[in-house]
Amino acid sequence: MSKRLNNKEILVFKNIPKYLTKPLKQKWTVNLKVKQLSIELYGGNHHFQIYMRQAVMDEDNFSCGISLVASGNNDITLARYNGSNHVHVNKCDGRRFDFKCHIHEANENSLKISKKIENYAESTNRYTNLQGAIQCVLNDFHIMDLSIGQLIEQGGLFDDELQYS
């Protein structure tokens, strides 16, 4: 998939129902700074990857995203749901979000500039933590057989929260 995606193609990839490629057995990996997990998905004749990352020392420093895995080329990030730990400024229109959760979503214009979707985001109140961001990605990108409950059972990310519940 060497050509740039247009908005219609991006919407098709967003709306394809996606499923786990194999039973969920991956574990959260933890290093000194970050807890993270990546899961492979398929939908139609395409492969996708959902990824989650949480900084150990800053609960507002997190992201959850989904990429189209393009054989022979770099993967294309379709969306990334970021936490509120930093200031984001849209390069295309100058809008600034000071320490607010925001969503980067691929669109034709951003992909013309770069294969990355960093240049544009929308502020959101739909989530305030990684668990909420994951739920948004699962819903928005039609991930059918994966739930927050399964991710918690994998251990690692929400362990601290479970101990205090």
Side-chain angles (χ1 to χ4, degrees):
M1 184 172 302
S2 59
K3 72 179 190 106
R4 302 269 189 216
L5 297 177
N6 63 43
N7 288 336
K8 185 177 177 182
E9 292 168 316
I10 292 166
L11 188 59
V12 167
F13 286 126
K14 181 176 184 175
N15 290 324
I16 291 173
K18 297 163 194 71
Y19 302 90
L20 294 170
T21 57
K22 55 189 170 193
L24 183 63
K25 293 185 180 178
Q26 296 94 319
K27 299 288 184 193
W28 291 93
T29 59
V30 182
N31 66 31
L32 292 175
K33 296 181 181 181
V34 177
K35 300 175 183 181
Q36 56 191 7
L37 175 65
S38 295
I39 300 168
E40 294 177 23
L41 305 166
Y42 73 92
N45 295 324
H46 306 284
H47 291 275
F48 301 88
Q49 182 179 61
I50 183 173
Y51 54 90
M52 296 145 270
R53 180 196 57 77
Q54 172 73 61
V56 174
M57 302 299 285
D58 181 356
E59 67 183 16
D60 294 329
N61 184 353
F62 62 85
S63 62
C64 179
I66 185 164
S67 296
L68 173 65
V69 178
S71 59
N73 291 315
N74 293 330
D75 297 349
I76 298 170
T77 300
L78 297 174
R80 189 178 66 253
Y81 295 59
N82 281 358
S84 60
N85 70 309
H86 63 281
V87 173
H88 172 80
V89 178
N90 284 341
K91 291 183 181 175
C92 59
D93 63 12
R95 281 191 302 150
R96 177 184 170 115
F97 309 122
D98 291 341
F99 304 102
K100 292 185 178 182
C101 291
H102 54 279
I103 301 172
H104 295 270
E105 198 161 350
N107 63 60
E108 190 172 352
N109 289 335
S110 68
L111 293 176
K112 282 180 185 175
I113 298 168
S114 165
K115 281 193 128 180
K116 298 188 180 225
I117 59 173
E118 311 302 318
N119 297 322
Y120 181 78
E122 290 287 337
S123 176
T124 186
N125 293 320
R126 292 178 57 207
Y127 60 87
T128 57
N129 57 28
L130 180 58
Q131 187 170 346
I134 293 168
Q135 192 62 57
C136 287
V137 171
L138 296 178
N139 293 338
D140 294 352
F141 284 84
H142 306 280
I143 299 171
M144 308 307 288
D145 58 353
L146 186 60
S147 70
I148 291 291
Q150 289 171 291
L151 297 171
I152 290 171
E153 288 174 14
Q154 293 307 102
L157 184 61
F158 303 117
D159 292 349
D160 295 339
E161 293 173 14
L162 293 175
Q163 289 173 5
Y164 299 112
S165 324

